[in-house]
Amino acid sequence: MLEECLSAPAAVARQLAADQNAYAALGESLRNVPPGSLLTVARGSSDHAAHYMAYLMMARLGRLVTSLPMSLVTLYQSKIECQGLVSFAFSQSGQSPDLVAPQKFFRAGGARTVAFVNAAGSPLAEASEHVFGLHAGPEQSVAATKSYIAQLVAGARVVAAWQGDEDLAAAIQQLPSALEEAARQDWSVAVEALKDADRLFVIGRGTSLAIAQEAALKFKETCSIQAEAFSGAEVKHGPMALVEEGYPLLVFAPRGPAQAGLLALAEEMRGRGARVLLAAPAGTPGAELPLACTGNEDLDPIAAVQSFYPMVEALARARGLNPDQPRHLAKVTKTH
């Protein structure tokens, strides 16, 4: 897991060197024939990556994006309207039947289908009209890391191509060096703070919520910590009742419109006695976990998860667990 997460900058560099014309063509298609509806098809870490792309599309392009409950197609046989639909599927292996079936259904119905997948020639790739390889290389670790980061980058590339935003596109090209810097950030304080934890909130908002969701999943699968991800707004409703003296919270507060509210939340939670681990750019008051900045604040969450992965791998080992062999889990999960 550690080796693969540290190889993510190189994987991103490989991806950025490939498929430039294909991304440009997809962006041109989306501009020339605007979608009537948009949805994502994914599970697990891939679903978190899909949420990140969806948020960028909604924020930057004003287009609502739905996360598909796959059971609508696979179990309930719903006759979803396909005309004008664009379906974006995200997967590392491209093997799960409940990802493949919706793509086949949508494509047969006349929708445009796009897949971001690390395994060329997989069933999901074969079911999709437009296929973009992640170029992450073989991933042996059960806990996905470099493929997740590659998916985040792929989603950002689609948004930049669709929007025709040259500044965002230029910042994406600079990501490998930004990720190298992010991987060098010292998050060891979190290992010490969480080595005996049994529960945890992970907080984000806006573009960083997808990173909080991914972090919570990794705490569960590699560290056996019952971690839950919440929006910085949502946590102030029912979940707040659980916060007591010493309750651990990891707050992702990268640059952007959501940062001020997240910093205020961190301060409020400290006042309630919580053990707040604040991840924010160096120099931010109260930030113990430094975040590297990228060439565009919308890309900063990608750097944030690059800093997170080595920490959670070290935390698993500090807790006497092997992050490379999580309990009950397999590399490829096939659901229907």
Side-chain angles (χ1 to χ4, degrees):
M1 178 181 175
L2 180 61
E3 179 182 336
E4 290 186 346
C5 75
L6 293 179
S7 73
V12 170
R14 286 194 301 273
Q15 186 200 123
L16 293 177
D19 304 319
Q20 294 184 18
N21 291 339
Y23 278 97
L26 178 61
E28 184 177 9
S29 170
L30 292 168
R31 288 194 301 273
N32 292 342
V33 186
S37 55
L38 299 152
L39 56 77
T40 61
V41 182
R43 288 211 185 277
S45 291
S46 296
D47 190 40
H48 305 149
H51 279 303
Y52 171 74
M53 183 194 73
Y55 202 94
L56 289 183
M57 286 180 172
M58 291 187 282
R60 285 175 155 265
L61 293 153
R63 301 301 306 267
L64 292 175
V65 184
T66 300
S67 175
L68 177 74
M70 273 74 80
S71 59
L72 286 176
V73 175
T74 61
L75 300 181
Y76 288 84
Q77 309 298 310
S78 174
K79 302 306 179 186
I80 296 171
E81 176 58 53
C82 295
Q83 290 301 315
L85 171 67
V86 179
S87 170
F88 297 95
F90 288 75
S91 176
Q92 190 273 324
S93 70
Q95 297 285 337
S96 187
D98 66 349
L99 303 183
V100 177
Q103 284 292 88
K104 286 184 174 179
F105 172 83
F106 296 139
R107 187 175 184 182
R112 282 176 279 180
T113 52
V114 184
F116 306 96
V117 62
N118 203 36
S122 63
L124 181 64
E126 293 174 357
S128 304
E129 179 184 2
H130 304 280
V131 181
F132 294 89
L134 300 179
H135 302 282
E139 191 168 54
Q140 304 302 323
S141 172
V142 173
T145 55
K146 62 179 181 177
S147 63
Y148 174 73
I149 290 174
Q151 288 174 331
L152 295 175
V153 175
R157 292 179 78 183
V158 171
V159 174
W162 185 359
Q163 196 174 15
D165 188 319
E166 294 183 2
D167 290 339
L168 179 60
I172 291 171
Q173 290 296 321
Q174 298 164 8
L175 275 173
S177 60
L179 293 175
E180 292 280 7
E181 180 187 353
R184 293 192 293 267
Q185 302 304 307
D186 182 4
W187 279 36
S188 56
V189 64
V191 176
E192 183 62 29
L194 299 175
K195 66 181 182 181
D196 297 318
D198 59 2
R199 54 182 180 163
L200 171 72
F201 283 172
V202 189
I203 311 298
R205 196 173 185 191
T207 54
S208 69
L209 180 56
I211 306 308
Q213 293 169 328
E214 169 65 4
L217 176 61
K218 288 299 184 283
F219 279 126
K220 285 192 276 276
E221 67 180 345
T222 66
C223 299
S224 297
I225 298 175
Q226 178 61 52
E228 290 190 81
F230 291 103
S231 156
E234 191 65 33
V235 75
K236 301 184 94 171
H237 294 273
M240 188 80 87
L242 294 174
V243 177
E244 57 188 4
E245 188 71 29
Y247 196 103
L249 278 78
L250 170 56
V251 180
F252 284 97
R255 298 177 301 167
Q259 186 187 55
L262 290 165
L263 296 179
L265 175 69
E267 190 61 29
E268 180 183 348
M269 291 298 97
R270 285 195 190 97
R272 292 172 181 262
R275 174 61 176 102
V276 176
L277 291 161
L278 176 61
T284 304
E288 294 178 272
L289 309 177
L291 292 182
C293 294
T294 66
N296 186 294
E297 64 183 28
D298 282 345
L299 304 177
D300 284 5
I302 306 178
V305 78
Q306 177 73 78
S307 298
F308 168 80
Y309 280 144
M311 181 280 291
V312 79
E313 195 272 349
L315 177 61
R317 297 191 184 280
R319 292 167 65 86
L321 301 170
N322 182 354
D324 297 330
Q325 294 181 324
R327 291 187 303 176
H328 313 309
L329 298 178
K331 182 59 193 168
V332 177
T333 302
K334 295 185 178 182
T335 47
H336 294 268

